[in-house]
Amino acid sequence: MKIKHHNNVECLQAYKKYNNILTHIKKKSKTTYYKQNLTESKGNLSKTWKIVNEIIDKPKVKTTIQPSATSTNASNPVDIVNESNTLKDYFVEIGPTLASSIPPPAQVTHTSGSSAIHSFFLSPILPEDVVLQSNLLNSSNSNDTYGLPVSSLKISKHVIAPYVADLYNLCITDSVFPTKLKLAKVIPVYKSGDKMQPSNYRPISLLSNFSKIFEKFISANLLSFLAQNSILCPQQLGFRQGLSTSPALLKLQDHILDQNSKKLFSCAILLDLKKAFDTVDHQIC
């Protein structure tokens, strides 16, 4: 707020008084506004961080998209982006390429304190199990690899469940995961940066709905076996049902506070693996 220079002392004092009152009201209103927004966004990390960035006035990064110098047809970026083979080759090769740069471990150390004495067993799948897993599928607007919407599967689930269960059990008996269920429709989603560079896209895979249901059964059996035989490391908190990374953060916080109370320093080493899923060494299993 600006005020013209005025020789009247009373006017100047009145201006300062009400300006302070206005500043106080604005700060109080802003605090109330953000408190309410943070309360409403509880459980939604994306929305929470958006509010936090707004509070700290974090500037948005503006990306200027420039044609790549290596592009053969920079004047028509749409044609280059739609060149599916270029993106396909990148998505297929990025994992092995990054994995080849990682030195192999000298010795594999198992952190689990116990070993399984029982064999892994896949229990038979019943028609009612197929119906249950069909109901749990996300009813999104997108279709699967073969164009089948989830809504159609849910409508016909009671009719097809006995036949689908028989096919799943046959796959288990013959130890075969059908090739048709391994296929996925990969859709490149633009992230940011140069639209000419395949590395600026992330792949989204649309799987077969029947593949998702079958994988749910295998996953449930496998996780049950790992839990019953205490094979998973107790510190493995992420990607496990009923667990989260919150206990790990609380444990780290308690450790830091404990060390501070003893006037000791704490040090943390954090690792972020690029394309971690694609670079997993399956030979160590």
Side-chain angles (χ1 to χ4, degrees):
M1 182 180 295
K2 295 182 179 180
I3 183 172
K4 293 183 178 180
H5 293 288
H6 205 286
N7 294 326
N8 190 321
V9 177
E10 292 183 0
C11 289
L12 184 60
Q13 289 178 343
Y15 163 76
K16 290 181 178 180
K17 175 184 176 181
Y18 288 108
N19 184 53
N20 291 336
I21 294 174
L22 176 62
T23 301
H24 176 72
I25 294 174
K26 287 170 63 178
K27 287 183 178 180
K28 188 174 181 180
S29 300
K30 187 176 181 180
T31 301
T32 304
Y33 170 77
Y34 283 118
K35 277 185 177 180
Q36 182 178 353
N37 282 358
L38 287 171
T39 302
E40 293 175 354
S41 65
K42 186 177 181 180
N44 188 333
L45 288 179
S46 177
K47 190 175 181 180
T48 299
W49 276 112
K50 185 177 180 180
I51 296 172
V52 171
N53 289 331
E54 185 178 336
I55 293 174
I56 63 178
D57 196 21
K58 184 177 180 180
K60 295 183 179 180
V61 178
K62 295 183 179 180
T63 304
T64 303
I65 302 173
Q66 298 292 340
S68 172
T70 59
S71 300
T72 57
N73 187 14
S75 62
N76 195 350
V78 176
D79 290 343
I80 298 175
V81 171
N82 290 336
E83 191 66 42
S84 59
N85 287 334
T86 302
L87 292 170
K88 179 204 68 175
D89 292 341
Y90 173 78
F91 293 147
V92 170
E93 296 172 2
I94 183 62
T97 301
L98 291 174
S100 63
S101 63
I102 302 174
Q107 183 178 0
V108 179
T109 303
H110 296 280
T111 57
S112 177
S114 62
S115 58
I117 60 174
H118 305 290
S119 298
F120 175 58
F121 173 75
L122 285 172
S123 57
I125 299 173
L126 303 176
E128 49 265 37
D129 297 329
V130 176
V131 172
L132 175 61
Q133 290 300 330
S134 299
N135 289 331
L136 295 177
L137 287 175
N138 183 20
S139 299
S140 60
N141 294 326
S142 60
N143 300 339
D144 70 357
T145 311
Y146 300 102
L148 176 66
V150 175
S151 57
S152 297
L153 178 59
K154 289 186 175 183
I155 292 174
S156 60
K157 60 181 180 288
H158 292 288
V159 177
I160 65 175
Y163 307 102
V164 174
D166 287 342
L167 291 173
Y168 286 159
N169 290 324
L170 184 61
C171 292
I172 294 173
T173 303
D174 294 345
S175 301
V176 173
F177 194 90
T179 303
K180 291 289 186 180
L181 297 188
K182 297 179 183 179
L183 298 179
K185 181 187 293 184
V186 180
I187 300 176
V189 177
Y190 172 68
K191 297 185 294 184
S192 63
D194 186 357
K195 287 188 175 182
M196 299 295 139
Q197 296 297 332
S199 58
N200 291 329
Y201 293 81
R202 60 186 178 94
I204 299 296
S205 297
L206 297 181
L207 302 172
S208 163
N209 289 323
F210 293 106
S211 174
K212 293 179 183 178
I213 295 174
F214 196 16
E215 289 177 7
K216 289 289 185 181
F217 290 121
I218 298 175
S219 175
N221 279 265
L222 180 58
L223 290 176
S224 176
F225 175 80
L226 295 175
Q228 291 176 5
N229 291 276
S230 303
I231 295 177
L232 290 178
C233 176
Q235 285 74 35
Q236 174 62 44
L237 300 173
F239 305 102
R240 295 179 63 182
Q241 188 175 9
L243 300 175
S244 69
T245 55
S246 296
L249 295 175
L250 291 174
K251 185 177 181 180
L252 176 61
Q253 181 185 25
D254 290 342
H255 174 77
I256 294 175
L257 293 175
D258 179 65
Q259 295 298 95
N260 285 344
S261 66
K262 299 176 182 178
K263 299 187 182 303
L264 297 174
F265 292 102
S266 300
C267 178
I269 300 176
L270 308 177
L271 300 178
D272 184 15
L273 302 179
K274 184 178 180 180
K275 298 288 183 181
F277 181 80
D278 296 323
T279 56
V280 169
D281 186 0
H282 296 279
Q283 300 302 320
I284 66 176
C285 299

